[in-house]
Amino acid sequence: SCRHSRADDATMSVVSGQTRREAYRQGRNVGRLGAVDSTRLPLLVTAVVLVTSAIVAVAALLGYAASAAALALLAIAMVVGWPVLVGAPSQPGVRVVLLGGGLAVAATVGWTSGPQRLLWVPVAVAVSVLLGFLQQLMRPPSRPRLTEGVAAVASALAAVASGAALVPVTLRPHGPEFIVVGMIGLAAGAVVELVGRHRRIGVLAVVPATIAGGLAGALVASPLGLPVTVGIGLGMLLASFSHTTRRVIGAVPGCHEPVAQVALGVISVLLSGVLVLSLAALALPTA
């Protein structure tokens, strides 16, 4: 009888866990679903970071149009899992808004000419956020977790807009090489941060990850025609920033799901776009 009772308890525990996960996928707030230890993120996150950084680097070498197309592809990959990662309410509707908004941002960058290539990005983001707000208001009268739904839309679009900042950098002299150096440093940091899975290292993984990013940037900067100091600074900054992004955003229950892990890996690369653009403005000539 005791054995049967224990078996029943174990079965109920599994069913309860599955029920909570399903509820989180559907956007219902389930506080008991355990958060992920973001010092030991699933290996899928690391794999996605490496693939995403490679896509960004290769697209930069291929040119402006390829970078805009890569942004659209990465936006699609991110918005599928982002609502699951943050546990947004009304996830199908949120995905539709994010898909349209992400593609709109990529299209405005790809089709804008002249010196101000990011001119229409704020407009695309603003309109998409407004549509996200309207989508939340069209839910049933009670509209539970309205603010969380709007925040999920705005934060994802902010990440795509940050990724859009990478595209015009390809037009600068040595701009594509600059992006490649940054992505190599970011990828090196993502690999080395895996030492954080050892409990004695944990949150201190940011230190070796940052150092690895700087070393990787230094190694590839000179062959690509950039100063070694630029490679060190760019690699360290992107490695530490991307690592911190994963540590902060990844510590949520939604990160149990593979589609959410894909979104986390992509967003931790795209968010670095504004940093790359800012550093390029300081380190690279305009013509």
Side-chain angles (χ1 to χ4, degrees):
S1 175
C2 184
R3 286 197 299 270
H4 285 304
S5 176
R6 289 174 182 166
D8 291 344
D9 289 344
T11 301
M12 290 299 295
S13 176
V14 171
V15 172
S16 177
Q18 292 174 341
T19 301
R20 290 197 298 271
R21 288 178 184 235
E22 183 61 30
Y24 204 90
R25 285 194 199 100
Q26 296 174 2
R28 297 198 293 272
N29 193 14
V30 183
R32 292 191 301 273
L33 185 60
V36 170
D37 179 1
S38 58
T39 63
R40 299 171 59 86
L41 288 171
L43 294 178
L44 177 59
V45 177
T46 304
V48 172
V49 171
L50 297 180
V51 171
T52 302
S53 57
I55 290 174
V56 172
V58 172
L61 293 174
L62 292 177
Y64 187 90
S67 291
L71 176 63
L73 175 64
L74 295 174
I76 294 171
M78 188 194 73
V79 302
V80 172
W82 180 253
V84 177
L85 180 64
V86 298
S90 184
Q91 291 181 7
V94 170
R95 285 193 183 96
V96 170
V97 173
L98 290 181
L99 181 60
L103 293 178
V105 170
T108 56
V109 175
W111 292 340
T112 302
S113 58
Q116 301 296 330
R117 300 295 178 119
L118 300 175
L119 179 64
W120 293 102
V121 168
V123 177
V125 172
V127 171
S128 300
V129 171
L130 178 59
L131 291 176
F133 186 68
L134 293 176
Q135 180 265 327
Q136 291 294 319
L137 289 178
M138 292 173 63
R139 291 165 54 202
S142 60
R143 289 188 288 273
R145 303 169 59 215
L146 173 65
T147 304
E148 294 179 44
V150 176
V153 171
S155 55
L157 290 172
V160 177
S162 182
L166 289 163
V167 181
V169 177
T170 61
L171 298 176
R172 289 176 174 266
H174 297 293
E177 293 82 1
F178 192 82
I179 293 175
V180 170
V181 170
M183 291 300 108
I184 290 176
L186 188 153
V191 172
V192 174
E193 77 180 18
L194 294 175
V195 299
R197 300 174 73 85
H198 193 287
R199 297 192 181 279
R200 291 189 177 182
I201 299 178
V203 297
L204 298 177
V206 64
V207 177
T210 302
I211 294 173
L215 290 176
L219 287 174
V220 300
S222 185
L224 291 174
L226 295 172
V228 173
T229 53
V230 170
I232 294 173
L234 182 60
M236 291 182 68
L237 181 59
L238 293 197
S240 60
F241 178 79
S242 183
H243 167 80
T244 304
T245 299
R246 289 186 291 279
R247 284 272 292 115
V248 173
I249 301 179
V252 294
C255 202
H256 286 289
E257 303 299 329
V259 290
Q261 294 163 20
V262 172
L264 176 60
V266 173
I267 200 173
S268 69
V269 176
L270 290 184
L271 277 174
S272 67
V274 291
L275 295 178
V276 175
L277 178 63
S278 299
L279 292 175
L282 297 174
L284 300 180
T286 57

